[in-house]
Structure formats: structure tokens, C-alpha cells
Amino acid sequence: MRNSWQRRLAPVVTGALISLSLAVMTATPSQAATTAHPFPTHVTYQVGIMPSASQSSRDAAVEKQYDSWKSNYLVHGCASNEYYVSTKGDADATNNGPVSEGQGYGMNIVPLMAGYDANAQSEFNGLWQLVKDHEDQYGMMQWQLDGKSCKYYSGGTPDGATDGDLDIGYGLILADKQWGGYSTDAKTWLADFYAHNVAPDGHLKCEDDGPNTDTRPSDHMLDHLRAFAAYDTAHDWNKVVTRTEAVINEFTASYSPTGGLLSDFVVGAGTTSPQPAPANYQENQPDNIVGYNSIRVPWHLGTDALVNGSSTAATSYNTARKESACLKGESGGDPQKVYPHTNLNCTPYSTSDQAEEAGDSVGPAAMAAGDQAWTDAIWNQLGTNPFGDGYFGETIKTLVYLVMAGDYWSPSSGGTSSNDFALSAGPSNGSVAAGGSVSSTVSTTVTSGSAQSVALSASGVPSGASVSFGPASVTAGGSATVTISTSASTPAGSYPITITGSAASGSHTTTYTLTVTGSGGGGCTSAQLLGDPGFENGTNAAPWVQTSGVGSAPVNNDTADEPAHSGSWTAWLNGAGKPDTDTVAQTVTLPANCTAAGLSYWLHIDTTENTSTAASDTFKVQVLNSNGTVLATLAGYSNLNHNSGYTQHTASLAAYAGQTVTLKFTGAETDAHGGTTDFVLDDTALNVSP
């Protein structure tokens, strides 16, 4: 259970907590309007992956969560024409009242669930009415209200909070695109927000009556700002986008270059050197680290990347990918161990405090990063509430669910709603002696819209081989068997075969790696035997098998930090700044009748270890038998072998002709001398010849 760390702009005034019963309005919506984007509105995002769960199960999970959220937190009050989002369970307002943050969340959730919830427009109108009835001097929502009287009770002159006001503006645009009729309200709100919440240089202030010198990274909702720019051309929202991205890049370059983390509050936001705020800057907690505010940053930046793509949203995409890897490493791949208070170097500030929203919020970033296992782990946590969180965690969960389910549509640009499908092969690789055959299952899933007919075909088949499908076409959601038959004349080697599924909506591909182990004629055919020698299959990695001691997959395309020798992907072992063992390995059969078998690979080593004598971080190249026993260590390197670029290395495997062996690269890091070492592997090859 979360402890008493505070996470709001002002100290919380503790009052009596009184349970409110929920009176759900069942009347017909006051404005009869067509729902333009009824839930579920399946979206194809611009980048990234989806959870492995089927689309139908993802939709059902969102509906279940929405029903729970609505029954617990959507309150019909204080006036008969008002609704508010209760802060029940978090003591953020007296009598479980609303805060503008939650009101904004509700004004995003409800329009996205229209079509499933027949009363969505009435509920949205009630949420908006409460905002209008409680505006501060600048036209923004008073940030904290009592749950019985709905009167402002926080200290000083009523003021607004930027995060809630951003979401309220975005919610009005969603409502206008969903039902129509909210354009005037939306543009008036955005004009007031721009006048009072945007600093002269374009960065977002923390509150409408606050200084122009600070910002709160959890307010950096770049997908919202891009929607504002498309919707409200009377104001220079692109200036706000550009400056917000600059603050993110300038801050992370100095304080979290590997993890991409941002502290709860940032000072010096109007300069080119933004800095972490001092502890207790705005709240009674260490505001110079990730806390209950900035745990939301991976959610916001990941969502922007998914919706707007890696080019338009390059800052969000690159930062979210770093954050995903950082927090996966911190937690060892367990979302429950993403701690709400985290240092900017990706280590826990405290492990005594846990909250579901800390791990949940990483979901969109993991999707953008293309990390399937991490995405699935977070998706599975969404179905639970391991720490008994209240309003804050359960409301964030509802919005993250919408994004991860593929039901988060943009009111301006980004994902498109249409029929679409995904394609996969399992297993994704196989080995066969020349003259034999091997089979796999090609599976299709509906990722958006309705099921459609998918025709299957293959390319990249080696000479003397053929491919057949049974059946040759399937309805999306179904599967087929693919059989690859070789002949005695099929050359030995490794062949990436591209399997294509074609439908009315377009085509998708998956790769099956075929290894042919002999020529069938008693001689030796020269061939390169390793599958995906340059790791260009990406996160799929097959036929490579990869492991990591810190949960960060070695095969990656972070070429901005560690350039590839060629192509876009490498196997980057270690370098996480903590003790770790990483491996990449591939099993291969060496033809018995080939006398030459030469392994080659390119290796780049860099290090910050503070020693010129101790080999504290090591890299080994080994050959193992089918039982996992090491047959030989072909080469060894350490932090002492660091170099400025790639060096090619070679070794002979001729002694293992006729055997099936595993080629294994192992990096082991101790950080014993105050630094870290990166071992970056690329462009491997195993060439056999007579």
C-alpha cells in the first residue's frame, strides 16, 4: 500500500473521509448526437507492438475496468447537473472530493467509452458543468474541491493545476469529435490555458498563477499539445511542442542520459540548462527524483510515440524507449517492482513504497519500445490491484488500458481505425537435412476492425526447395500449416524465408529461418550457416536466444548510443551500470563433410571502468554441446580491450564438423572499479567450405 508520500502541487489538508454513495444518472443524454467513434474503436498505432492478448480479450478487459472505475469513482454531484471524479482512497481532497487532475482524467475516459456507455454524453456534460461552475480567476478549474460542498478549500487564492487543465482541454476536443457541439467551449478553454499556463518561451508552467521558471514533466502530454495545434490554429501550440521537447532533451542529456528519466519538478525551465528541483520544492517529498508525478511520464511519452510515430514524435519515442529499458532493468521485469520513488540513474530511491500505477504507466513506453515480454507483463498486471490502490492508480489504469488495448483514438492525427491483422510463425525457425522437410504454424490475429480473408505466400526459398500452405488462405484469427520441402540439391546454409499475408487492408510479413544442414550428395557446399547474422530480425531475435541479468534484451537498435557495424541492430551486452550477465547464443549443425568452418564477428568495446590493470568486466566466445557443456572457449576479452570502433575477430570451428553445437557470446559485468563496460557485437558469420 502506498504510504503518506504526497504527490500534489500543494500540501494536502487532511479532513474526515466520508464515503459517498454513487447515484448513476440513467436519463437519456441531454444532447442527442451520433457517436462518431463508438467503443471499441480499434486503432493501428504508428509504431510499436500490441500485447499478445487477442483484441477481443483486450476490449473486454477495458470494459470490465471501466465498469469498476465508474461504479467507484464517478459521482453524480454536487449539483444535480454535475458529475465529478472522486479521489476516494487517496485523501487528495476532503470528503473524497475532486481535484482538477481527476476531472480531466474523467473527461478523457468518458468520451473514449461512448458507445459502450449509453450515458457517456450526459456524464461528460456533468463533468464539464462542474468545471465551469468552479473556475478560478483565469478561467481554469479550481484544482481542489470538497466532496460535499464542492467549495475550494486549499490555501490561498483559488488556482489551477496544469495537468488537469490540459486534460480538460483535450477532453473537450474529444467530445467535439465524438458528438459535436463543443468547439466554442474547447477553443475558449485553450485560449485561456495558452494565456496563463504557457511561459513566454513556450514551456508549460506548473500552475496558472505560478512562476515562468519551472515545469512539471508529468504535464508534458505531447499528444495533447499536437492535438491542440491541429484544432486551435489561433495560438502557436507548435512553439509549446518544440520547447517541451527541448526541455526533455536538455534535462535528460545532463541528468539521465541512459534512462531518460525526468524528476517530479524541473527548475530553470526557461533556460537551456533545466535542472531537477530541490527536495520539497512543491510538495512534501523529494521533488528532484521520479515520484508520484513523474511516474506518469512513460505513459504520456509512450502514448505520443504510438499515436504520432517515431518521426513526428521523435523525442517521445526515443525517451520512452530509454525509460522502458531503465524501469525494466530496475524491476527485473516485474511491474510490481517499478517503485514510485526512483533515482534518475534507474535505481530505487526507496523500496518501502509500492503502487500499481508506477508499473502500469510503463505500458505504452514498453509498447513503443517493441518489448513484447515487458509489454505482456505490464498488461497482465493491469488485471490486478496488488497494493489496493484507490482513485489515482485505478484511474490511471483505466486510461493505460485504453492505450494498451488499441482503443485510444486521436482527435487529430495518428492511428487509423480500420480492418487489420497481424501475422506470426511458430516456431520461427527450423533445421532440416537436404532432401527432408520441416513445418511450422502460421497464425493470424485481428488487430483492428473485422476479420478478413488473408492469402499466404512465401519468398526467399533456396534453390531446390518449395513451400506449401494448408490452407493457402485463412480468415484472420485462423492459422495454417506451412511446409518447406528441400531436395538433395538444396545447398546447405541458413535462409530467412519471408511469409506474407495479403488482405484487402494490406499486407504483413513474418520471417521463418530455415537451416539446411547437408547437400545430400556426400560433398560439401560452401555456405554461411548462422541465421540472422547481423541481428536484423530485431526484438524477435530468432534464431538467436538472448538472456539478460537485468531484464534488458541485448538485441536492440539503439544506434544513437552504440552505432551498428552495419544495418540497424546489434547485440549490446552489459553497460547497464550494475552487475549483470548477458548472453546471445545460436545452435547450428556443422556438415560432417566440410573441412573448413570459420567463425567471424565484429566487436566494439567501450568502458568507463577506472582501472588499467584489472579485467573486471569480461566477454567470452564459447562452443557448447547439446547438453550445455562448454567444449571450448574460443576467445576472451575485457574492459582492458576497449577500442574506438569495431574490430573483426575470427576462430575455427572445423574440429566440430558433423556436430550440432551452440555458439555462445557471454558478457559479464561487475562494475568493480566504479564504471561500466559495453560489449557490442555485430555482423557474425560461420562460413563452411570443402
Side-chain angles (χ1 to χ4, degrees):
M1 186 67 181
R2 194 165 62 242
N3 67 16
S4 60
W5 293 103
Q6 292 177 304
R7 54 176 171 77
R8 292 291 180 268
L9 290 173
V12 173
V13 179
T14 303
L17 300 180
I18 302 175
S19 298
L20 297 180
S21 62
L22 176 66
V24 178
M25 179 181 288
T26 58
T28 303
S30 59
Q31 289 178 259
T34 301
T35 301
H37 304 277
F39 179 90
T41 303
H42 300 149
V43 174
T44 301
Y45 294 134
Q46 300 296 308
V47 296
I49 57 166
M50 300 300 297
S52 296
S54 68
Q55 182 66 66
S56 60
S57 66
R58 297 200 303 265
D59 293 340
V62 174
E63 292 170 358
K64 180 180 179 181
Q65 173 61 22
Y66 177 71
D67 290 342
S68 173
W69 174 82
K70 180 178 172 179
S71 66
N72 279 287
Y73 304 107
L74 188 60
V75 174
H76 185 197
C78 292
S80 61
N81 63 343
E82 292 179 348
Y83 272 87
Y84 68 77
V85 176
S86 168
T87 56
K88 182 172 65 174
D90 284 305
D92 292 336
T94 55
N95 295 321
N96 297 330
V99 291
S100 60
E101 161 204 274
Q103 203 72 0
Y105 289 154
M107 290 176 68
N108 282 209
I109 293 169
V110 171
L112 292 170
M113 294 303 299
Y116 173 74
D117 183 350
N119 296 313
Q121 191 175 13
S122 288
E123 292 154 359
F124 180 87
N125 289 341
L127 290 165
W128 173 225
Q129 187 63 50
L130 183 134
V131 173
K132 290 189 289 185
D133 291 344
H134 298 88
E135 292 182 351
D136 69 4
Q137 60 183 320
Y138 298 122
M140 299 289 97
M141 180 180 169
Q142 298 173 1
W143 82 273
Q144 191 179 48
L145 305 175
D146 177 80
K148 296 182 68 175
S149 67
C150 282
K151 291 182 178 179
Y152 183 79
Y153 78 90
S154 188
T157 302
D159 62 349
T162 297
D163 57 348
D165 295 335
L166 274 165
D167 271 326
I168 290 168
Y170 190 74
L172 287 167
I173 299 176
L174 283 172
D176 195 42
K177 296 298 184 180
Q178 187 70 283
W179 301 296
Y182 298 87
S183 176
T184 299
D185 285 341
K187 290 183 178 180
T188 299
W189 184 270
L190 294 180
D192 289 340
F193 182 98
Y194 194 93
H196 303 292
N197 292 69
V198 177
D201 72 324
H203 80 262
L204 294 168
K205 299 163 55 178
C206 293
E207 58 273 328
D208 54 6
D209 63 348
N212 292 325
T213 55
D214 59 10
T215 191
R216 186 167 68 160
S218 59
D219 300 344
H220 295 176
M221 306 173 201
L222 283 157
D223 73 308
H224 290 20
L225 297 175
R226 294 186 213 282
F228 295 173
Y231 189 85
D232 174 29
T233 57
H235 300 89
D236 190 1
W237 292 103
N238 289 320
K239 173 183 176 181
V240 185
V241 170
T242 299
R243 184 58 200 147
T244 300
E245 291 177 331
V247 170
I248 293 170
N249 290 327
E250 291 161 356
F251 181 95
T252 56
S254 296
Y255 297 100
S256 190
T258 301
L261 300 181
L262 291 103
S263 57
D264 262 16
F265 290 91
V266 170
V267 296
T271 73
T272 58
S273 302
Q275 306 166 27
N280 303 314
Y281 175 72
Q282 284 266 20
E283 303 173 344
N284 297 332
Q285 64 168 328
D287 294 333
N288 55 349
I289 63 167
V290 174
Y292 275 101
N293 289 296
S294 280
I295 57 172
R296 296 173 285 183
V297 172
W299 159 35
H300 292 318
L301 297 189
T303 299
D304 183 43
L306 293 171
V307 170
N308 293 295
S310 59
S311 178
T312 297
T315 291
S316 294
Y317 176 67
N318 293 328
T319 308
R321 288 170 59 238
K322 289 182 178 180
E323 291 169 336
S324 173
C326 159
L327 297 171
K328 181 179 180 181
E330 175 193 71
S331 66
D334 180 357
Q336 293 187 26
K337 294 181 181 178
V338 177
Y339 294 101
H341 292 88
T342 295
N343 296 312
L344 299 181
N345 65 354
C346 304
T347 60
Y349 175 87
S350 169
T351 60
S352 63
D353 188 25
Q354 292 177 275
E356 62 164 321
E357 59 267 25
D360 291 349
S361 292
V362 187
M367 291 169 65
D371 191 328
Q372 191 69 64
W374 187 215
T375 296
D376 289 344
I378 296 168
W379 173 262
N380 292 335
Q381 176 179 274
L382 290 177
T384 69
N385 186 354
F387 310 114
D389 288 67
Y391 140 76
F392 191 59
E394 288 296 290
T395 304
I396 288 175
K397 173 193 289 186
T398 305
L399 283 158
V400 171
Y401 246 139
L402 281 159
V403 175
M404 295 190 73
D407 291 316
Y408 184 84
W409 54 271
S410 168
S412 56
S413 61
T416 58
S417 176
S418 62
N419 296 335
D420 206 357
F421 68 97
L423 193 70
S424 63
S428 60
N429 61 87
S431 179
V432 62
S437 64
V438 65
S439 297
S440 179
T441 299
V442 179
S443 300
T444 62
T445 56
V446 177
T447 57
S448 67
S450 302
Q452 54 188 317
S453 179
V454 180
L456 301 171
S457 61
S459 60
V461 183
S463 63
S466 62
V467 175
S468 62
F469 293 94
S473 64
V474 298
T475 300
S479 61
T481 299
V482 56
T483 301
I484 305 170
S485 301
T486 64
S487 67
S489 63
T490 302
S494 182
Y495 303 96
I497 297 175
T498 300
I499 299 173
T500 301
S502 300
S505 64
S507 298
H508 292 286
T509 63
T510 189
T511 299
Y512 179 88
T513 301
L514 172 70
T515 300
V516 181
T517 60
S519 64
C524 175
T525 300
S526 298
Q528 195 288 112
L529 301 185
L530 292 180
D532 190 25
F535 306 101
E536 296 304 311
N537 283 351
T539 53
N540 177 45
W544 294 100
V545 176
Q546 55 182 331
T547 67
S548 172
V550 296
S552 181
V555 177
N556 75 93
N557 64 346
D558 188 3
T559 53
D561 294 312
E562 290 289 352
H565 179 257
S566 68
S568 302
W569 294 78
T570 67
W572 178 355
L573 286 71
N574 309 125
K578 60 184 71 175
D580 169 37
T581 298
D582 293 343
T583 70
V584 289
Q586 184 174 152
T587 299
V588 62
T589 299
L590 295 165
N593 44 13
C594 291
T595 59
L599 170 68
S600 65
Y601 52 94
W602 292 85
L603 182 64
H604 168 59
I605 305 171
D606 57 33
T607 188
T608 58
E609 287 281 10
N610 187 25
T611 176
S612 60
T613 58
S616 51
D617 302 332
T618 59
F619 183 86
K620 293 184 292 187
V621 185
Q622 295 177 309
V623 181
L624 290 71
N625 65 16
S626 58
N627 295 322
T629 302
V630 175
L631 299 176
T633 297
L634 302 176
Y637 311 93
S638 75
N639 49 288
L640 302 180
N641 301 115
H642 62 89
N643 50 2
S644 59
Y646 283 88
T647 300
Q648 188 178 37
H649 303 276
T650 61
S652 175
L653 296 181
Y656 308 102
Q659 300 182 42
T660 297
V661 297
T662 297
L663 181 65
K664 186 175 184 179
F665 300 90
T666 302
E669 180 170 1
T670 65
D671 295 335
H673 297 277
T676 188
T677 303
D678 308 285
F679 299 101
V680 187
L681 178 70
D682 201 5
D683 292 337
T684 64
L686 178 51
N687 292 297
V688 295
S689 60

